Amino acid sequence: MGRFKHVTRPEHLMAESANNRYGRVMSIATERLQLPLARPNILELAPLYEVLRREAPIAPVTTPAGDPAWLVTRFEEVRLLLGDKRFGRSHPEPEKASRLSSAAVLDGPTGEYETEEADHARMRRLLTPAFSAKRMRMLSDHMERLVDGYLDQLVAEHDAAGVVDLHAGLAYPLPVAMICRLLGVPESDHELFSRLSERMADMTIGEEAHHAREEFFRYMVGLVETKRPQLGEDVISDLVRAQSEDPSFDYEQMVRLCVGLLFAGHETTVNRIGLGTLFLLTRREHWEALVADPDGHVGAVVEEVMRLGAPGDLGLLRYAHEDVAIAGVTIRRGDALVLSINAANRDTGVYSDAETFNPDRPERTHLGFGHGAHFCIGASLARTELRVVFSALARRLPELRLAKDLDSLEVRTTLTGGVSELPVTWRSA
Amino acid sequence: VKVMVDKEKCVGAGQCVLAADDVFDQNDDDGLVALLNANPPSDRLADVRHAAAVCPASAIAVED
């Protein structure tokens, strides 16, 4: 756990010479920035991203792991590269690949270079029906009942204590309950897999993160083998069936996929609920608008939370599978790219008043769920969860406000970021 | 308005269903795009264009 302490200001770069545009490009290019770029607080990004988008949209950087990579910050290039099949998650020579961080997720190459596309296509084919927009919408009644239950409990706690933790009482339990139900994982294991998820995404504990991943793998092998004699109607059962019928579907690959889904199914949405609540409560006029008409506003609120919410401070990792010339640089086969979704979603060339949380903005697209072949498989699940949460909060707790200053909230040191507490109150001041 | 979808490209993201659920759906068996209406009325053009623009696989084509 830690807080943001240092702020990188772009002034030292911009001050060099307003006339010497190329000089400035050189200053950024030769400096080789060290990631992550420290941010002022959990809702804002380093101002340097704006300079990078303008002057060096694909810039050479050093990753937190100390390896060279290209940081891509402009919307156009990020979107283009996410959809470009010349870049992948695997590496032609994995042992030589740049690594992103010391966390044990999205830290380096994954999958087989030779079969990446076919393996990925099979995975999508297996998972897509289970996470379709229609199926997720059919779960929204169930989600509403769950959320009502969590809010009942928070209201009771609030009557006694005056302040409650929305993170522990709502943001965390809903995504966990939903992913457990979809995957067929016992909810009673949540403390174990949440602790493992947190540790494997932690960027400050070195090798420990990798030990956590191995432990998570063993937990999942145990679960898979417990389920095997009585497979049910859930995603892990589907994957176990598919793996047993397909000799080219490796057992380890199947287990890793189950771990990935359980990890992603709660680590990500938990953080969006937290960040969304913070945006709404610190831009009160948008909270009031949501309270006045939850059904009319919640869709746009969710999309704006997906655009502007920036949990984690790095980006999506890709490796070049061939030499590619783009935006004035040449990316060599094997080079690592860090595609900054956060920076792309705040591109002033695409969004008016890009840094401001404004659900009423005219622009309707963002890269919050990625783009291309790896587009978030859980996007419809996340959207449904976020809609249910924010409309329920607005309906039931219209006087909701933060009980602690934004800057004093505990921020997680994981790759996926977010807050670890969200103290709120609705008692009249 | 004429709408065409390419199932070979589709990655089953469901973005089009969100944009225009009277025009697009996802199949129950494979989760891929199912076209409900290949010739939607012109007042649906904006949403259909939006669906094409946000499709992560560029699998939707729209003609006026």
Side-chain angles (χ1 to χ4, degrees):
Chain A
M1 305 296 166
R3 290 204 242 137
F4 300 114
K5 294 213 165 57
H6 308 287
V7 180
T8 309
R9 297 259 173 225
E11 282 83 340
H12 73 284
L13 291 166
M14 303 172 80
E16 283 186 2
S17 162
N19 302 324
N20 186 355
R21 182 169 185 275
Y22 296 98
R24 228 186 309 162
V25 173
M26 287 305 292
S27 75
I28 293 174
T30 51
E31 215 170 296
R32 199 173 262 282
L33 289 166
Q34 173 68 49
L35 296 183
L37 305 181
R39 48 202 292 195
N41 64 54
I42 193 165
L43 299 183
E44 292 173 63
L45 292 188
L48 190 54
Y49 278 113
E50 172 56 21
V51 182
L52 286 169
R53 272 190 303 261
R54 204 171 53 235
E55 309 285 347
I58 302 184
V61 293
T62 302
T63 68
D67 291 340
W70 298 98
L71 177 70
V72 189
T73 49
R74 198 155 62 187
F75 185 95
E76 187 188 340
E77 281 80 10
V78 171
R79 187 175 193 273
L80 200 67
L81 292 173
L82 282 171
D84 191 327
K85 294 202 167 164
R86 294 173 296 176
F87 299 88
R89 291 282 296 113
S90 66
H91 192 280
E93 296 170 278
E95 65 288 350
K96 291 186 183 167
S98 281
R99 306 196 68 87
L100 189 54
S101 76
S102 67
V105 274
L106 303 173
D107 56 321
T110 52
E112 299 296 320
Y113 181 72
E114 306 300 333
T115 57
E116 176 179 348
E117 221 177 303
D119 291 344
H120 184 249
R122 174 179 55 207
M123 181 194 82
R124 296 292 299 207
R125 220 168 30 245
L126 283 169
L127 297 178
T128 297
F131 290 94
S132 75
K134 194 161 51 183
R135 284 227 207 159
M136 296 305 107
R137 277 182 190 178
M138 276 157 44
L139 288 173
S140 58
D141 288 350
H142 177 67
M143 287 183 204
E144 277 167 24
R145 281 194 298 278
L146 283 177
V147 167
D148 269 331
Y150 302 139
L151 290 178
D152 289 344
Q153 198 163 342
L154 283 171
V155 167
E157 274 177 48
H158 186 267
D159 286 345
V163 174
V164 291
D165 184 3
L166 206 66
H167 173 79
L170 175 69
Y172 172 78
L174 176 72
V176 167
M178 291 314 300
I179 200 66
C180 282
R181 180 190 160 116
L182 283 165
L183 297 187
V185 172
E187 226 180 298
S188 52
D189 288 350
H190 78 94
E191 278 179 28
L192 174 65
F193 66 69
S194 292
R195 186 171 51 80
L196 292 175
S197 295
E198 174 122 18
R199 281 169 62 213
M200 71 188 239
D202 199 315
M203 300 187 288
T204 61
I205 56 172
E207 270 304 296
E208 266 306 298
H210 292 265
H211 295 156
R213 181 165 67 177
E214 285 154 27
E215 203 181 317
F216 206 150
F217 187 90
R218 287 194 298 274
Y219 162 75
M220 193 54 79
V221 168
L223 183 60
V224 159
E225 294 315 320
T226 308
K227 292 170 76 72
R228 193 184 294 276
Q230 288 176 299
L231 294 176
E233 291 291 308
D234 57 66
V235 171
I236 291 181
S237 294
D238 290 348
L239 291 172
V240 171
R241 270 187 218 103
Q243 193 270 329
S244 68
E245 289 161 9
D246 180 351
S248 71
F249 193 178
D250 183 59
Y251 182 85
E252 208 183 301
Q253 204 180 0
M254 185 265 291
V255 175
R256 274 204 310 266
L257 182 54
C258 294
V259 169
L261 288 169
L262 184 49
F263 172 86
H266 72 286
E267 267 292 324
T268 50
T269 317
V270 173
N271 295 328
R272 291 288 164 167
I273 296 173
L275 293 174
T277 305
L278 291 174
F279 276 121
L280 286 164
L281 298 185
T282 54
R283 311 275 194 280
R284 196 78 197 175
E285 67 277 22
H286 297 300
W287 172 254
E288 304 291 350
L290 182 64
V291 167
D293 179 12
D295 290 341
H297 281 96
V298 76
V301 163
V302 168
E303 296 312 310
E304 186 67 345
V305 170
M306 286 310 304
R307 182 186 75 89
L308 208 60
D313 208 36
L314 295 169
L316 297 177
L317 180 61
R318 295 287 185 273
Y319 295 99
H321 288 184
E322 54 186 89
D323 292 358
V324 177
I326 178 172
V329 301
T330 302
I331 296 163
R332 298 287 175 197
R333 180 170 184 264
D335 282 2
L337 296 179
V338 179
L339 304 171
S340 176
I341 302 295
N342 295 345
N345 277 339
R346 292 166 185 239
D347 189 333
T348 50
V350 176
Y351 302 100
S352 50
D353 210 359
E355 301 280 348
T356 304
F357 179 80
N358 175 18
D360 301 326
R361 63 176 54 259
E363 305 89 6
R364 291 168 70 187
T365 63
H366 58 75
L367 298 175
F369 291 114
H371 180 71
H374 293 269
F375 184 87
C376 178
I377 194 103
S380 296
L381 170 62
R383 278 189 167 117
T384 311
E385 289 177 345
L386 293 172
R387 290 176 81 110
V388 168
V389 162
F390 291 120
S391 50
L393 277 176
R395 270 199 314 273
R396 292 196 50 184
L397 304 175
E399 302 300 322
L400 189 69
R401 62 182 195 277
L402 289 178
K404 203 169 170 181
D405 188 51
L406 182 71
D407 291 324
S408 61
L409 292 173
E410 284 289 341
V411 175
R412 305 164 74 219
T413 55
T414 58
L415 186 81
T416 40
V419 288
S420 54
E421 53 163 0
L422 198 51
V424 293
T425 182
W426 51 91
R427 189 169 278 176
S428 45
Chain B
V1 179
K2 192 177 170 202
V3 185
M4 284 154 293
V5 294
D6 185 341
K7 284 204 176 200
E8 293 295 309
K9 284 187 183 170
C10 178
V11 297
Q15 294 268 87
C16 53
V17 185
L18 195 81
D21 62 4
D22 55 332
V23 179
F24 305 99
D25 197 1
Q26 282 173 283
N27 284 320
D28 285 331
D29 54 341
D30 59 10
L32 298 184
V33 62
L35 200 50
L36 298 177
N37 185 354
N39 298 100
S42 54
D43 63 351
R44 301 298 293 131
L45 182 61
D47 283 342
V48 169
R49 278 232 175 99
H50 177 64
V54 297
C55 174
S58 304
I60 301 171
V62 183
E63 282 174 18
D64 284 2

